[in-house]
Structure formats: structure tokens, C-alpha cells
Amino acid sequence: MKRYMQNIHRVVSYVPGDQPNFPDMVKLNTNENPYSPAPGVQEALRQSEVEQIRLYPDPTAHELNAAIAKAYHVDESQVFTGVGSDDVLAMIFQTFFRADLPILFPDITYAFYPVWCDLFRIPYAVQPLNDQLEIVPEDYTRENGGIIFPNPNAPTGAELPQSAIAYILEQNPESLVVVDEAYVDFGAQSALPLLERYENLLVVQTFSKSRSLAGERIGFAIGAPELIRALHDVKFSFNSYTMNCSALAAGTASVRDWAYLEKTTEKIITTRERCKQVFSKLGFRFPDSKSNFLFVTHPEVDAHALFEALREVHIFVRWFNAPRVRDYLRITIGTDAQMDQLFDFLRDYLGKKRG
Amino acid sequence: MKRYMQNIHRVVSYVPGDQPNFPDMVKLNTNENPYSPAPGVQEALRQSEVEQIRLYPDPTAHELNAAIAKAYHVDESQVFTGVGSDDVLAMIFQTFFRADLPILFPDITYAFYPVWCDLFRIPYAVQPLNDQLEIVPEDYTRENGGIIFPNPNAPTGAELPQSAIAYILEQNPESLVVVDEAYVDFGAQSALPLLERYENLLVVQTFSKSRSLAGERIGFAIGAPELIRALHDVKFSFNSYTMNCSALAAGTASVRDWAYLEKTTEKIITTRERCKQVFSKLGFRFPDSKSNFLFVTHPEVDAHALFEALREVHIFVRWFNAPRVRDYLRITIGTDAQMDQLFDFLRDYLGKKRG
């Protein structure tokens, strides 16, 4: 083998998540929004001029950042945007988690946290959720080089109350605490108001879920200007132009339409609450989700077998081959019609099992 | 100072390149294309459906990669795409330049090469261009952990002949040789045909210059399937979704229209050759550029003073505050009308200096 092949960066080979594409499918596997983005988004994309596309995009994302700042009642100097919240989070890991102390996050959580730790050589220590699959705030008081957790947590959907987040911030004045709020718009309470009291807080959100813009890749962080400045410095030091002009235009139009966000998230919340009742009646159990998905388990059902059976009929959900959660399925909240199609199948499936 | 602020990743604070925005400006500072992208691009963006935007983009970029493969007569397994060639190049540095030996690149070249080396802790040794600002192939025969250079080189515009590239590949069977062809479509010869003889070659190109798509951020690499597989493995291991659906649609439409690419690059080449004559008559000297810019110097003119004088009248060019090139300006080839506006100013400026 040539030397250049011996020396390549070896990683665990990863096959991107199943992105099936059947006309009749019910796609409940990647927490996408079943409703369209705000009407202004399509309009903004249609109006984007070729004159704009031939030029480099604005590296500072000024228009989008200003629109986000206005919508969230913060200053533009408190906003950092990136190519999806994955890009924003990776930049945060790279910029801030550089102490020789382990960073802390839950054992059951977003799968990319340990990946970025390995990539950037950051030590970490996972903190187990309790038996109800909840974060235990007291676990986050040991010495650490930083703290990160999603709220609501993924893939459980469970919300950590704002008082518990305040407690973690209070106990860790020397650490940066990152609250990853990818799913916060579906009824959970944002940590943003805590920014007034805690300078060591960074809140990360995304346009991929509540704003129906997964295809455009837009995420953002809000925090103290000195934190945001450090993120910009690192970003600009090695890649100036990342968000393209379509993402900037789509994101700006989206964030300006708060009423549409409320309307569509309300619809999903209503469907979710109805689904909780149906799942319960069918014998499923789940943490009380405040997100756009439910993390369900059933005492009589093998989760992986059900996952496969659903796939057969083109209903796609998510199963994680990981300790503690092998008996669960993560199911995105789709439209009422999609969920009814799922429930019809489940009634039949459970009936056959029992019969 | 809090511990989390003491530990942040310190970088040389970088202010993104001047992206001026005046209605009357002549923008010749970032090597953008003065002509619109292919007509199919605007059409593809207009037709992009909201249904598509609410879903995650195809992480494998299959449609775009297949279109690139077809256009360049290679297999899809030989194509890797990223968010501009900066993203592709950074991924290459991260994936392949991991030997403990220094990688080699010219002293006067693309400014991000040393930046990525510092970021990924890669040792490097710069090889000086000769007095005519040309790459000396023999300099690339010393022991190394990899080789990279742009061809044509930036910011000189000078082309290294294919025979010299073959010589470098021949001398380095154990090293990966990356030819960064951001500007190749403006009349230089691509190294792509050398892929048939050399497995240690990666060719990188971009849609930002010849295809007028700087705003959409699309770059690609072509090489042996085992090299491309390694790039995909590293990419997917830490960020699956980077190219958004607009970039995928725009790129696919663009690469399918080869005739338009030829037509617009021909126009720019014609303008460039005319500009060479005018610059010569005005007393400027420059390497013989095969790119969409000229790197000019004048024995009687202070380059930085001229840069400032041009800026005053809203003609924007690029000046580098770096050793050996302080007396030069990099000037993008715009439309004939834009170049004439520049020449009118230069005649006046030089006349005043002499008079």
C-alpha cells in the first residue's frame, strides 16, 4: 500500500441515514416538518437574481443575522449562523471545548457529540439519564471543560425545566454551557431569557425542524457578544464563505414570518398530543415529549422487528442500535393523515401479535 | 477572565475580504465571473419545490455527482463535492495530509493552504517561485507528506505545463499530489487526463469562477475511487448534510450546459488577451495569465497607492500585503466595458504621474 493510503484519516465508515424516496411513503424517520416553509421562502428563492448568484455571498450573513436578532430580541452581535446546527455545534466544540477537562453530556443524546469530541480530540464523560430517561441536573456539577445537552433532549423528547438549566449554569460559572434547542419550538421553554443572567450560556437552534428548512441547512447560536466574536474568528480563519445566497435568502424570509411558525408548530403540537393518547391506548410508553417526535416502547413488541415491518409498508421511523434504547422507536410527528396511517398499521400489527 | 474564555481557540483575527456594494462599482477584486450562470440555473432555482426544501438534502449529492461524472467522462465513484472548493480542499488536508513529513506548496499561492496546515497541525515547507514567479518542478522532489499547488497558480495566473505535473507525479509515487484547478477553465490544460496514468493525483475544481456560481458554494474533486471513498468517509463521519438543495439543483443545471461554459469562458479569454496588450502598452508587467485575472506590476507605480486610488473611484482590485508581491495588483477580468473604465482611469493616473 502506498504511503499516502497508509496515512489517511481512518474513521468509522458511516453510511448516511436512510433517505428513502417512494411516492407512497410515510417518512417519519428524520424529524422533518410535514408542512411547507413560510410562503415568503418560496418567494425569496424565486426572486433570487442571477446577478447575486455569480457573486460571493455575504460572509458575515448580515441580513439573516439582523433578522434573527430582531425576531429573538437580541443584538446582531449576539448571533452566529452556520450551515445547519451541525456546523454551528462543530464550530462551538472547536472554539470552546479546549480545556484538558472532560466535557459533559448525557449518555443518551445527539449522536454527533462524541463524534466531534473524537475529531477535535476533546475528552468527555457521559452522564447517564435516570430510569425515566431524564437528565439529572446534579450530574452536571462535577469539574468539567464544558457542558452540552439538547433541550428537549434527543431522541427522548423530554424537556429539562428552565429552573434546572439555571441551576446548571449557576453551578458552572467557569464553564460554557451549550443548550442545543433544535426542537424547542414545539412547546418547550427556551433558555434564551437566561442570557440576561448568565454569560456562560450559548443557545443553539435550527431552521430544519420548526421552520421546515432542512433542505437549506441553516442553524444559529445566540449568546454573549464575546462568545459570538470568538466563533466568528475561528470560522473566518479557515473558511469565509459557507452559507450560500439561497440559504441566506430563505432563512431571512423564514425568520421574518413569526405568525407562520406559530401556526405550523401549533398544528404539530396538536397532532402530537392526540398521538400520545393513541399510543397510550395501544399500550406504548414514552417520555413526555415536547418535540416533534415521540420515543416509544411497547412491552410486547420487539422494536427492531416493528421497525422492519413498518419499513415493508413504506412507513419509515428510526431505530437506534445502542444500549438502553434498543427497545424504542423514534417516530416523527407528521400530518394527522400520516399518523392515522401509522396507527392503522399498528392496530393490525398488535392485533395479529395478540390474536 | 473566566476559564472558558481563557481556553478558547485563539486564531489570528481575520476580517473577511472587502465585499463592497455600490451601484456604480467595478468589482474586480474577488475573481468573480462578470457573466450570469447558465440559463438552466435560474430555471432550476425557480422550480425548486417547497416540498423539497422541508426535507433534508441528499447527503450523497448523487444527482450532481452523476452530472459532473458525465461531463468529465469519469465514474461517479471518482467524484466528491463540497461547499465550495475551500470545503473540498480542507477535507483533503484533513483526510490525507497526516504523515509526519511536511507537505509542499509554493511560497506565493492560495492563502488558505498554510491556514489549514495550522488548523489540522500539518507540517509544511513552502517552495519559492522563481524570479518569473513560476513553480519550479524540481523543488517538489524532496521527501514530503503530500504536494498541493493551484494550476494556474494564484495569484500569479501562470500555468504549469502538463508535462511538469506528470514529472512531479512521477517523482512522488508515495505522495498524494493535489492540483487545485480553480481557474483551469480559462485556457489552461487540466491534469484530469493524467488520472489514467497516476493514481496519486487528485484534481480539484470549483463552480465559483468559470460557472458563475460563487454565490451557491460548489466545489469538487476528481480522483481514484479509493481516494474519493476516503473523503466521503471523513465527511460523513462528522457532518452528513452540507450541500443544500439549492446548491445541488444549481450545480446540476450548470454542469449539464457545457456549451454555455465554453461561450462565457471564451468571452473572458478574449477580453483577457486584449487587456494584456493594453496593460503592456501602459508599461505594466505580469506573468502570462491563463486565468480570469492578471497579476500586474509597474516600475513607476506604488501598487498600494494605485489600489487606494482605484478604490476612491469605486474600482475594486486586490492588493496583498505579503513579501515578494507587494508591488503587484491582482485584477479580475470583467466585461470589456469594465476593463475600459479601468484603463481610462489608469491612463489618466499614469499621465498625471509623468506630467
Tab-separated table of all heavy atoms in Angstrom, chain A residues 93-133:
chain	number	residue	atom	x	y	z
A	93	PHE	N	-17.677	23.311	19.469
A	93	PHE	CA	-16.745	22.330	20.039
A	93	PHE	C	-15.298	22.759	19.780
A	93	PHE	O	-14.449	22.729	20.661
A	93	PHE	CB	-16.989	20.945	19.424
A	93	PHE	CG	-18.072	20.146	20.102
A	93	PHE	CD1	-19.387	20.601	20.151
A	93	PHE	CD2	-17.788	18.922	20.698
A	93	PHE	CE1	-20.378	19.872	20.777
A	93	PHE	CE2	-18.774	18.173	21.324
A	93	PHE	CZ	-20.072	18.653	21.361
A	94	GLN	N	-15.061	23.176	18.529
A	94	GLN	CA	-13.712	23.521	18.104
A	94	GLN	C	-13.211	24.796	18.775
A	94	GLN	O	-12.028	24.945	19.053
A	94	GLN	CB	-13.768	23.736	16.587
A	94	GLN	CG	-12.524	23.367	15.857
A	94	GLN	CD	-12.746	23.469	14.354
A	94	GLN	OE1	-13.880	23.547	13.876
A	94	GLN	NE2	-11.666	23.483	13.611
A	95	THR	N	-14.104	25.708	19.032
A	95	THR	CA	-13.718	27.021	19.564
A	95	THR	C	-13.575	27.010	21.086
A	95	THR	O	-12.637	27.598	21.627
A	95	THR	CB	-14.767	28.086	19.164
A	95	THR	OG1	-14.902	28.078	17.748
A	95	THR	CG2	-14.372	29.471	19.642
A	96	PHE	N	-14.490	26.322	21.768
A	96	PHE	CA	-14.561	26.493	23.225
A	96	PHE	C	-14.143	25.288	24.060
A	96	PHE	O	-13.747	25.457	25.212
A	96	PHE	CB	-15.992	26.880	23.625
A	96	PHE	CG	-16.439	28.191	23.074
A	96	PHE	CD1	-17.377	28.263	22.067
A	96	PHE	CD2	-15.900	29.373	23.564
A	96	PHE	CE1	-17.797	29.480	21.550
A	96	PHE	CE2	-16.309	30.600	23.060
A	96	PHE	CZ	-17.255	30.652	22.045
A	97	PHE	N	-14.290	24.076	23.521
A	97	PHE	CA	-14.041	22.915	24.377
A	97	PHE	C	-12.584	22.491	24.269
A	97	PHE	O	-12.241	21.479	23.673
A	97	PHE	CB	-14.998	21.786	24.003
A	97	PHE	CG	-16.444	22.087	24.330
A	97	PHE	CD1	-17.470	21.400	23.722
A	97	PHE	CD2	-16.780	23.063	25.265
A	97	PHE	CE1	-18.805	21.673	24.024
A	97	PHE	CE2	-18.108	23.350	25.580
A	97	PHE	CZ	-19.127	22.654	24.952
A	98	ARG	N	-11.707	23.302	24.868
A	98	ARG	CA	-10.278	23.092	24.714
A	98	ARG	C	-9.551	22.952	26.047
A	98	ARG	O	-8.322	22.898	26.083
A	98	ARG	CB	-9.674	24.233	23.904
A	98	ARG	CG	-10.285	24.324	22.508
A	98	ARG	CD	-9.754	25.498	21.737
A	98	ARG	NE	-8.350	25.367	21.435
A	98	ARG	CZ	-7.864	24.711	20.376
A	98	ARG	NH1	-8.674	24.126	19.537
A	98	ARG	NH2	-6.575	24.655	20.172
A	99	ALA	N	-10.293	22.907	27.132
A	99	ALA	CA	-9.656	22.658	28.421
A	99	ALA	C	-9.227	21.194	28.452
A	99	ALA	O	-9.679	20.392	27.646
A	99	ALA	CB	-10.646	22.945	29.550
A	100	ASP	N	-8.339	20.824	29.381
A	100	ASP	CA	-7.958	19.416	29.473
A	100	ASP	C	-8.962	18.623	30.308
A	100	ASP	O	-8.756	17.452	30.592
A	100	ASP	CB	-6.542	19.287	30.056
A	100	ASP	CG	-5.500	19.613	28.994
A	100	ASP	OD1	-5.788	19.351	27.808
A	100	ASP	OD2	-4.433	20.129	29.349
A	101	LEU	N	-10.046	19.263	30.679
A	101	LEU	CA	-11.081	18.594	31.466
A	101	LEU	C	-12.150	18.030	30.538
A	101	LEU	O	-12.400	18.577	29.462
A	101	LEU	CB	-11.717	19.607	32.418
A	101	LEU	CG	-10.772	20.191	33.468
A	101	LEU	CD1	-11.362	21.470	34.063
A	101	LEU	CD2	-10.523	19.148	34.558
A	102	PRO	N	-12.796	16.951	30.953
A	102	PRO	CA	-13.814	16.358	30.079
A	102	PRO	C	-15.042	17.254	29.958
A	102	PRO	O	-15.453	17.889	30.930
A	102	PRO	CB	-14.172	15.047	30.788
A	102	PRO	CG	-13.829	15.276	32.222
A	102	PRO	CD	-12.642	16.205	32.223
A	103	ILE	N	-15.612	17.300	28.760
A	103	ILE	CA	-16.913	17.958	28.654
A	103	ILE	C	-17.978	16.914	29.005
A	103	ILE	O	-17.761	15.705	28.899
A	103	ILE	CB	-17.161	18.602	27.275
A	103	ILE	CG1	-17.329	17.550	26.182
A	103	ILE	CG2	-16.059	19.581	26.929
A	103	ILE	CD1	-18.049	18.114	24.963
A	104	LEU	N	-19.115	17.415	29.460
A	104	LEU	CA	-20.176	16.533	29.952
A	104	LEU	C	-21.400	16.599	29.048
A	104	LEU	O	-21.809	17.685	28.637
A	104	LEU	CB	-20.593	16.950	31.372
A	104	LEU	CG	-19.484	17.146	32.418
A	104	LEU	CD1	-20.106	17.538	33.768
A	104	LEU	CD2	-18.640	15.882	32.569
A	105	PHE	N	-21.950	15.431	28.745
A	105	PHE	CA	-23.254	15.369	28.056
A	105	PHE	C	-23.911	14.038	28.404
A	105	PHE	O	-23.246	13.122	28.909
A	105	PHE	CB	-23.127	15.596	26.547
A	105	PHE	CG	-22.087	14.779	25.836
A	105	PHE	CD1	-22.328	13.464	25.468
A	105	PHE	CD2	-20.861	15.346	25.500
A	105	PHE	CE1	-21.370	12.724	24.787
A	105	PHE	CE2	-19.889	14.606	24.825
A	105	PHE	CZ	-20.150	13.296	24.462
A	106	PRO	N	-25.226	13.908	28.153
A	106	PRO	CA	-25.942	12.690	28.553
A	106	PRO	C	-25.473	11.456	27.782
A	106	PRO	O	-24.912	11.568	26.690
A	106	PRO	CB	-27.407	13.006	28.185
A	106	PRO	CG	-27.477	14.490	28.025
A	106	PRO	CD	-26.134	14.917	27.558
A	107	ASP	N	-25.717	10.277	28.369
A	107	ASP	CA	-25.356	9.037	27.659
A	107	ASP	C	-26.277	8.811	26.458
A	107	ASP	O	-25.842	8.321	25.423
A	107	ASP	CB	-25.363	7.830	28.610
A	107	ASP	CG	-26.736	7.508	29.190
A	107	ASP	OD1	-27.604	8.405	29.231
A	107	ASP	OD2	-26.944	6.350	29.616
A	108	ILE	N	-27.547	9.177	26.633
A	108	ILE	CA	-28.491	9.046	25.525
A	108	ILE	C	-28.780	10.455	25.027
A	108	ILE	O	-29.434	11.248	25.709
A	108	ILE	CB	-29.790	8.355	25.986
A	108	ILE	CG1	-29.452	6.952	26.484
A	108	ILE	CG2	-30.817	8.315	24.863
A	108	ILE	CD1	-30.583	6.291	27.238
A	109	THR	N	-28.230	10.772	23.848
A	109	THR	CA	-28.342	12.142	23.355
A	109	THR	C	-27.985	12.189	21.891
A	109	THR	O	-27.904	11.155	21.217
A	109	THR	CB	-27.470	13.098	24.204
A	109	THR	OG1	-27.868	14.440	23.955
A	109	THR	CG2	-25.980	12.942	23.896
A	110	TYR	N	-27.738	13.392	21.386
A	110	TYR	CA	-27.443	13.562	19.968
A	110	TYR	C	-26.128	12.838	19.631
A	110	TYR	O	-25.090	13.059	20.265
A	110	TYR	CB	-27.336	15.046	19.641
A	110	TYR	CG	-27.238	15.336	18.163
A	110	TYR	CD1	-28.017	14.650	17.242
A	110	TYR	CD2	-26.361	16.303	17.677
A	110	TYR	CE1	-27.936	14.911	15.880
A	110	TYR	CE2	-26.277	16.579	16.324
A	110	TYR	CZ	-27.059	15.874	15.429
A	110	TYR	OH	-26.967	16.136	14.087
A	111	ALA	N	-26.177	12.003	18.605
A	111	ALA	CA	-25.069	11.079	18.324
A	111	ALA	C	-23.784	11.769	17.885
A	111	ALA	O	-22.708	11.171	17.942
A	111	ALA	CB	-25.508	10.087	17.252
A	112	PHE	N	-23.870	13.023	17.440
A	112	PHE	CA	-22.666	13.680	16.935
A	112	PHE	C	-21.769	14.265	18.037
A	112	PHE	O	-20.618	14.602	17.774
A	112	PHE	CB	-23.017	14.770	15.921
A	112	PHE	CG	-23.075	14.253	14.505
A	112	PHE	CD1	-24.230	14.350	13.754
A	112	PHE	CD2	-21.953	13.673	13.913
A	112	PHE	CE1	-24.278	13.868	12.446
A	112	PHE	CE2	-21.988	13.195	12.613
A	112	PHE	CZ	-23.154	13.289	11.867
A	113	TYR	N	-22.254	14.394	19.276
A	113	TYR	CA	-21.396	14.987	20.324
A	113	TYR	C	-20.097	14.193	20.510
A	113	TYR	O	-19.007	14.766	20.459
A	113	TYR	CB	-22.131	15.125	21.667
A	113	TYR	CG	-23.352	16.028	21.676
A	113	TYR	CD1	-24.287	15.932	22.715
A	113	TYR	CD2	-23.582	16.980	20.691
A	113	TYR	CE1	-25.409	16.758	22.759
A	113	TYR	CE2	-24.710	17.799	20.731
A	113	TYR	CZ	-25.619	17.680	21.760
A	113	TYR	OH	-26.726	18.494	21.802
A	114	PRO	N	-20.184	12.869	20.718
A	114	PRO	CA	-18.924	12.131	20.870
A	114	PRO	C	-18.077	12.119	19.590
A	114	PRO	O	-16.847	12.069	19.655
A	114	PRO	CB	-19.377	10.712	21.254
A	114	PRO	CG	-20.819	10.627	20.878
A	114	PRO	CD	-21.357	12.024	20.979
A	115	VAL	N	-18.739	12.205	18.439
A	115	VAL	CA	-18.006	12.213	17.165
A	115	VAL	C	-17.127	13.460	17.071
A	115	VAL	O	-15.942	13.391	16.732
A	115	VAL	CB	-18.988	12.169	15.975
A	115	VAL	CG1	-18.269	12.430	14.662
A	115	VAL	CG2	-19.719	10.835	15.938
A	116	TRP	N	-17.705	14.622	17.408
A	116	TRP	CA	-16.913	15.863	17.356
A	116	TRP	C	-15.813	15.842	18.418
A	116	TRP	O	-14.724	16.375	18.198
A	116	TRP	CB	-17.820	17.085	17.505
A	116	TRP	CG	-18.728	17.278	16.332
A	116	TRP	CD1	-18.408	17.117	15.008
A	116	TRP	CD2	-20.118	17.649	16.355
A	116	TRP	NE1	-19.503	17.362	14.220
A	116	TRP	CE2	-20.565	17.699	15.008
A	116	TRP	CE3	-21.021	17.950	17.369
A	116	TRP	CZ2	-21.878	18.032	14.662
A	116	TRP	CZ3	-22.320	18.287	17.023
A	116	TRP	CH2	-22.739	18.326	15.680
A	117	CYS	N	-16.101	15.258	19.572
A	117	CYS	CA	-15.053	15.137	20.599
A	117	CYS	C	-13.861	14.359	20.041
A	117	CYS	O	-12.715	14.769	20.189
A	117	CYS	CB	-15.600	14.449	21.849
A	117	CYS	SG	-16.641	15.519	22.850
A	118	ASP	N	-14.158	13.216	19.392
A	118	ASP	CA	-13.072	12.419	18.826
A	118	ASP	C	-12.333	13.215	17.751
A	118	ASP	O	-11.106	13.221	17.697
A	118	ASP	CB	-13.625	11.115	18.229
A	118	ASP	CG	-14.126	10.175	19.318
A	118	ASP	OD1	-13.719	10.356	20.486
A	118	ASP	OD2	-14.925	9.275	19.010
A	119	LEU	N	-13.088	13.886	16.903
A	119	LEU	CA	-12.490	14.632	15.799
A	119	LEU	C	-11.555	15.729	16.305
A	119	LEU	O	-10.457	15.919	15.785
A	119	LEU	CB	-13.618	15.246	14.951
A	119	LEU	CG	-13.200	15.992	13.696
A	119	LEU	CD1	-12.719	15.018	12.628
A	119	LEU	CD2	-14.367	16.815	13.149
A	120	PHE	N	-11.983	16.455	17.335
A	120	PHE	CA	-11.192	17.579	17.824
A	120	PHE	C	-10.382	17.209	19.080
A	120	PHE	O	-9.851	18.078	19.756
A	120	PHE	CB	-12.100	18.782	18.117
A	120	PHE	CG	-12.898	19.238	16.926
A	120	PHE	CD1	-14.281	19.304	16.981
A	120	PHE	CD2	-12.263	19.579	15.739
A	120	PHE	CE1	-15.021	19.719	15.873
A	120	PHE	CE2	-12.992	19.995	14.629
A	120	PHE	CZ	-14.375	20.058	14.700
A	121	ARG	N	-10.311	15.911	19.366
A	121	ARG	CA	-9.516	15.399	20.500
A	121	ARG	C	-9.922	16.051	21.822
A	121	ARG	O	-9.088	16.564	22.568
A	121	ARG	CB	-8.018	15.621	20.236
A	121	ARG	CG	-7.587	15.027	18.897
A	121	ARG	CD	-6.159	15.371	18.553
A	121	ARG	NE	-5.955	15.365	17.109
A	121	ARG	CZ	-4.792	15.523	16.508
A	121	ARG	NH1	-3.703	15.704	17.213
A	121	ARG	NH2	-4.691	15.514	15.207
A	122	ILE	N	-11.213	16.063	22.078
A	122	ILE	CA	-11.756	16.649	23.305
A	122	ILE	C	-12.141	15.515	24.247
A	122	ILE	O	-12.918	14.636	23.867
A	122	ILE	CB	-13.025	17.486	22.989
A	122	ILE	CG1	-12.710	18.606	21.994
A	122	ILE	CG2	-13.658	18.031	24.273
A	122	ILE	CD1	-13.938	19.204	21.325
A	123	PRO	N	-11.618	15.506	25.486
A	123	PRO	CA	-12.055	14.464	26.422
A	123	PRO	C	-13.512	14.688	26.830
A	123	PRO	O	-13.974	15.830	26.866
A	123	PRO	CB	-11.113	14.652	27.624
A	123	PRO	CG	-10.630	16.064	27.538
A	123	PRO	CD	-10.640	16.436	26.069
A	124	TYR	N	-14.229	13.610	27.105
A	124	TYR	CA	-15.623	13.773	27.518
A	124	TYR	C	-16.029	12.677	28.493
A	124	TYR	O	-15.391	11.627	28.566
A	124	TYR	CB	-16.570	13.800	26.321
A	124	TYR	CG	-16.632	12.534	25.493
A	124	TYR	CD1	-17.606	11.555	25.737
A	124	TYR	CD2	-15.732	12.309	24.465
A	124	TYR	CE1	-17.670	10.400	24.973
A	124	TYR	CE2	-15.782	11.157	23.693
A	124	TYR	CZ	-16.755	10.205	23.953
A	124	TYR	OH	-16.800	9.058	23.199
A	125	ALA	N	-17.081	12.944	29.251
A	125	ALA	CA	-17.606	11.970	30.206
A	125	ALA	C	-19.125	12.004	30.103
A	125	ALA	O	-19.744	13.039	30.355
A	125	ALA	CB	-17.153	12.316	31.628
A	126	VAL	N	-19.715	10.880	29.698
A	126	VAL	CA	-21.170	10.872	29.538
A	126	VAL	C	-21.844	10.689	30.895
A	126	VAL	O	-21.344	9.980	31.770
A	126	VAL	CB	-21.655	9.779	28.549
A	126	VAL	CG1	-21.108	10.040	27.153
A	126	VAL	CG2	-21.295	8.388	29.031
A	127	GLN	N	-22.981	11.356	31.065
A	127	GLN	CA	-23.745	11.309	32.312
A	127	GLN	C	-25.060	10.573	32.037
A	127	GLN	O	-25.873	11.042	31.243
A	127	GLN	CB	-24.035	12.733	32.801
A	127	GLN	CG	-22.799	13.616	32.917
A	127	GLN	CD	-21.774	13.043	33.876
A	127	GLN	OE1	-22.089	12.704	35.022
A	127	GLN	NE2	-20.538	12.886	33.404
A	128	PRO	N	-25.256	9.415	32.684
A	128	PRO	CA	-26.453	8.619	32.370
A	128	PRO	C	-27.759	9.352	32.698
A	128	PRO	O	-27.868	10.014	33.735
A	128	PRO	CB	-26.306	7.387	33.273
A	128	PRO	CG	-24.887	7.361	33.700
A	128	PRO	CD	-24.399	8.770	33.688
A	129	LEU	N	-28.726	9.213	31.815
A	129	LEU	CA	-30.082	9.647	32.137
A	129	LEU	C	-30.610	8.740	33.248
A	129	LEU	O	-30.133	7.618	33.421
A	129	LEU	CB	-30.983	9.507	30.896
A	129	LEU	CG	-30.605	10.300	29.642
A	129	LEU	CD1	-31.665	10.100	28.559
A	129	LEU	CD2	-30.446	11.783	29.951
A	130	ASN	N	-31.617	9.207	34.001
A	130	ASN	CA	-32.211	8.328	35.009
A	130	ASN	C	-33.135	7.301	34.331
A	130	ASN	O	-33.228	7.261	33.098
A	130	ASN	CB	-32.931	9.154	36.096
A	130	ASN	CG	-34.163	9.875	35.533
A	130	ASN	OD1	-34.670	9.537	34.468
A	130	ASN	ND2	-34.622	10.871	36.269
A	131	ASP	N	-33.807	6.485	35.133
A	131	ASP	CA	-34.596	5.400	34.544
A	131	ASP	C	-35.795	5.895	33.750
A	131	ASP	O	-36.320	5.185	32.894
A	131	ASP	CB	-35.064	4.427	35.635
A	131	ASP	CG	-33.896	3.610	36.161
A	131	ASP	OD1	-32.844	3.576	35.479
A	131	ASP	OD2	-34.025	3.009	37.248
A	132	GLN	N	-36.224	7.131	34.043
A	132	GLN	CA	-37.302	7.726	33.236
A	132	GLN	C	-36.729	8.442	32.000
A	132	GLN	O	-37.415	9.217	31.348
A	132	GLN	CB	-38.129	8.721	34.069
A	132	GLN	CG	-39.031	8.062	35.109
A	132	GLN	CD	-38.226	7.533	36.285
A	132	GLN	OE1	-37.414	8.248	36.870
A	132	GLN	NE2	-38.420	6.255	36.626
A	133	LEU	N	-35.454	8.171	31.722
A	133	LEU	CA	-34.758	8.794	30.584
A	133	LEU	C	-34.732	10.320	30.681
A	133	LEU	O	-34.862	11.034	29.691
A	133	LEU	CB	-35.373	8.355	29.241
A	133	LEU	CG	-35.351	6.858	28.913
A	133	LEU	CD1	-35.882	6.609	27.500
A	133	LEU	CD2	-33.940	6.274	29.048
